[in-house]
Amino acid sequence: MRKSHTAAMEIFAAKANGPMATEPYEAGWAREALAVIYCHEVHGPAPRLELRAQISADGVRWIDFGRTLPAISKPGGCFLNLTGFGNWLRLAGTVTGGPDDGSATVLIDIYWVLKE
């Protein structure tokens, strides 16, 4: 029987026109990681959150993993399944589509579901 672990990472209000990244999560023991994102609210003129997976050997320096989540522009859920990722994981991205004052936001919950 495979073991699994779900890590509720954060509730995040991503603001427009700036980079964002989740807290790093050490997951070297897992064979598979599922990033699950629930979008609760979208505020402002047409914001769009784009997220990509990043990996790290040390939890400090990050490399894009080449996988992206579907763009988030309305409430709902999405996920990204990762394998062969090494040790540290995080999501990074930006919110676009809002004015430069940062009034466009996307409120999300982020989870890592890890399987041995």
Side-chain angles (χ1 to χ4, degrees):
M1 177 184 214
R2 290 176 65 186
K3 295 180 182 177
S4 67
H5 173 72
T6 300
M9 292 300 295
E10 50 198 297
I11 296 174
F12 202 93
K15 295 192 178 285
N17 301 318
M20 58 83 60
T22 64
E23 290 292 323
Y25 197 78
E26 190 173 12
W29 58 269
R31 290 184 183 189
E32 177 183 346
L34 186 67
V36 179
I37 310 297
Y38 295 107
C39 176
H40 296 283
E41 298 175 22
V42 176
H43 298 283
R48 178 182 168 99
L49 173 61
E50 296 180 2
L51 292 171
R52 64 192 179 279
Q54 291 188 324
I55 60 172
S56 174
D58 57 13
V60 177
R61 297 168 291 176
W62 295 93
I63 302 167
D64 287 346
F65 192 59
R67 305 282 316 272
T68 60
L69 283 119
I72 299 169
S73 59
K74 62 183 179 181
C78 61
F79 69 93
L80 180 63
N81 193 353
L82 305 172
T83 58
F85 48 82
N87 196 27
W88 290 87
L89 295 169
R90 78 174 184 180
L91 299 175
T94 57
V95 176
T96 59
D100 287 336
D101 64 6
S103 62
T105 59
V106 178
L107 181 63
I108 56 175
D109 289 347
I110 301 167
Y111 296 86
W112 285 112
V113 179
L114 305 164
K115 294 181 182 178
E116 190 173 33

